[in-house]
Short mmCIF file of all heavy atoms in Angstrom, two decimals:
data_model
loop_
_atom_site.label_atom_id
_atom_site.label_comp_id
_atom_site.label_asym_id
_atom_site.label_seq_id
_atom_site.Cartn_x
_atom_site.Cartn_y
_atom_site.Cartn_z
N ASN A 14 11.56 28.43 -2.25
CA ASN A 14 11.50 29.06 -3.56
C ASN A 14 11.66 30.57 -3.35
O ASN A 14 10.73 31.23 -2.89
CB ASN A 14 10.15 28.73 -4.23
CG ASN A 14 9.91 29.54 -5.48
OD1 ASN A 14 10.84 30.12 -6.04
ND2 ASN A 14 8.66 29.57 -5.94
N LYS A 16 11.97 32.93 -5.46
CA LYS A 16 11.36 33.79 -6.49
C LYS A 16 12.36 34.87 -6.93
O LYS A 16 13.55 34.60 -7.00
CB LYS A 16 10.05 34.37 -5.97
CG LYS A 16 9.13 33.27 -5.41
CD LYS A 16 7.72 33.68 -5.19
CE LYS A 16 6.93 32.48 -4.65
NZ LYS A 16 5.51 32.73 -4.58
N HIS A 100 5.46 26.38 -12.03
CA HIS A 100 4.97 27.18 -10.91
C HIS A 100 3.82 28.07 -11.42
O HIS A 100 3.85 28.53 -12.56
CB HIS A 100 6.10 28.04 -10.34
CG HIS A 100 5.71 28.71 -9.07
ND1 HIS A 100 4.95 29.87 -9.05
CD2 HIS A 100 5.91 28.38 -7.77
CE1 HIS A 100 4.73 30.22 -7.78
NE2 HIS A 100 5.30 29.33 -7.00
N SER A 101 2.85 28.32 -10.57
CA SER A 101 1.67 29.05 -11.04
C SER A 101 2.03 30.45 -11.54
O SER A 101 1.36 30.99 -12.42
CB SER A 101 0.62 29.13 -9.95
OG SER A 101 1.08 29.91 -8.88
N GLU A 102 3.09 31.04 -10.98
CA GLU A 102 3.49 32.37 -11.47
C GLU A 102 4.03 32.27 -12.90
O GLU A 102 3.85 33.17 -13.71
CB GLU A 102 4.53 33.00 -10.51
CG GLU A 102 3.84 33.48 -9.24
CD GLU A 102 4.70 33.40 -7.99
OE1 GLU A 102 5.94 33.32 -8.10
OE2 GLU A 102 4.12 33.41 -6.89
N GLU A 172 0.15 23.15 -5.26
CA GLU A 172 0.10 24.53 -4.80
C GLU A 172 -1.20 25.18 -5.26
O GLU A 172 -1.27 25.68 -6.39
CB GLU A 172 1.29 25.31 -5.37
CG GLU A 172 2.64 24.79 -4.93
CD GLU A 172 3.68 25.90 -4.94
OE1 GLU A 172 3.84 26.56 -5.97
OE2 GLU A 172 4.30 26.11 -3.90
N ALA A 176 -3.75 30.06 -2.46
CA ALA A 176 -3.01 30.01 -1.19
C ALA A 176 -1.59 30.56 -1.33
O ALA A 176 -0.89 30.72 -0.33
CB ALA A 176 -2.94 28.57 -0.68
N ILE A 177 -1.19 30.88 -2.55
CA ILE A 177 0.21 31.32 -2.75
C ILE A 177 0.36 32.80 -2.47
O ILE A 177 -0.28 33.64 -3.12
CB ILE A 177 0.68 30.99 -4.19
CG1 ILE A 177 0.70 29.48 -4.39
CG2 ILE A 177 2.06 31.58 -4.45
CD1 ILE A 177 1.13 29.04 -5.77
N GLY A 178 1.18 33.11 -1.48
CA GLY A 178 1.47 34.50 -1.16
C GLY A 178 0.29 35.26 -0.58
O GLY A 178 0.31 36.48 -0.48
N THR A 179 -0.75 34.56 -0.21
CA THR A 179 -1.97 35.22 0.26
C THR A 179 -2.14 35.13 1.78
O THR A 179 -2.99 35.80 2.34
CB THR A 179 -3.22 34.55 -0.35
OG1 THR A 179 -3.20 33.15 0.00
CG2 THR A 179 -3.22 34.67 -1.87
N GLY A 180 -1.35 34.27 2.40
CA GLY A 180 -1.53 34.05 3.83
C GLY A 180 -2.68 33.08 4.09
O GLY A 180 -2.95 32.71 5.23
N GLY A 216 2.38 23.46 -1.21
CA GLY A 216 2.88 24.83 -1.22
C GLY A 216 1.74 25.82 -1.20
O GLY A 216 0.66 25.57 -1.78
N GLY A 217 1.95 26.94 -0.55
CA GLY A 217 0.93 27.98 -0.44
C GLY A 217 0.83 28.45 0.99
O GLY A 217 0.17 27.81 1.80
N SER A 218 1.55 29.54 1.30
CA SER A 218 1.52 30.14 2.64
C SER A 218 1.90 29.16 3.75
O SER A 218 1.33 29.21 4.84
CB SER A 218 0.15 30.78 2.92
OG SER A 218 -0.09 31.83 1.99
N VAL A 219 2.86 28.30 3.47
CA VAL A 219 3.37 27.43 4.54
C VAL A 219 4.23 28.28 5.47
O VAL A 219 5.04 29.09 5.03
CB VAL A 219 4.23 26.27 3.96
CG1 VAL A 219 4.82 25.43 5.10
CG2 VAL A 219 3.39 25.40 3.04
N LEU A 237 6.82 23.31 -0.44
CA LEU A 237 7.48 24.28 -1.31
C LEU A 237 7.11 25.64 -0.72
O LEU A 237 5.94 26.00 -0.68
CB LEU A 237 6.99 24.12 -2.76
CG LEU A 237 7.73 24.92 -3.83
CD1 LEU A 237 9.23 24.68 -3.80
CD2 LEU A 237 7.18 24.59 -5.22
N VAL A 238 8.12 26.33 -0.23
CA VAL A 238 7.88 27.51 0.60
C VAL A 238 8.37 28.76 -0.10
O VAL A 238 9.53 28.83 -0.51
CB VAL A 238 8.62 27.36 1.95
CG1 VAL A 238 8.27 28.52 2.87
CG2 VAL A 238 8.31 26.02 2.61
N GLY A 239 7.50 29.74 -0.25
CA GLY A 239 7.90 31.01 -0.87
C GLY A 239 8.33 32.01 0.19
O GLY A 239 9.44 31.96 0.71
N GLY A 240 7.42 32.90 0.54
CA GLY A 240 7.71 34.02 1.45
C GLY A 240 8.48 33.63 2.70
O GLY A 240 9.45 34.30 3.08
N ALA A 241 8.06 32.55 3.33
CA ALA A 241 8.67 32.16 4.61
C ALA A 241 10.04 31.51 4.42
O ALA A 241 10.68 31.14 5.41
CB ALA A 241 7.74 31.23 5.38
P1 PGA B 1 4.23 31.26 -0.51
O1 PGA B 1 4.69 30.75 -1.97
O2 PGA B 1 4.83 30.29 0.48
O3 PGA B 1 4.79 32.65 -0.40
O4 PGA B 1 2.75 31.22 -0.50
C1 PGA B 1 4.74 29.39 -2.28
C2 PGA B 1 5.25 29.22 -3.67
O5 PGA B 1 5.01 30.09 -4.52
O6 PGA B 1 5.93 28.21 -3.97
#
Side-chain angles (χ1 to χ4, degrees):
N14 170 16
K16 308 194 180 188
H100 189 279
S101 66
E102 285 148 19
E172 298 207 306
I177 296 179
T179 58
S218 298
V219 177
L237 189 54
V238 186

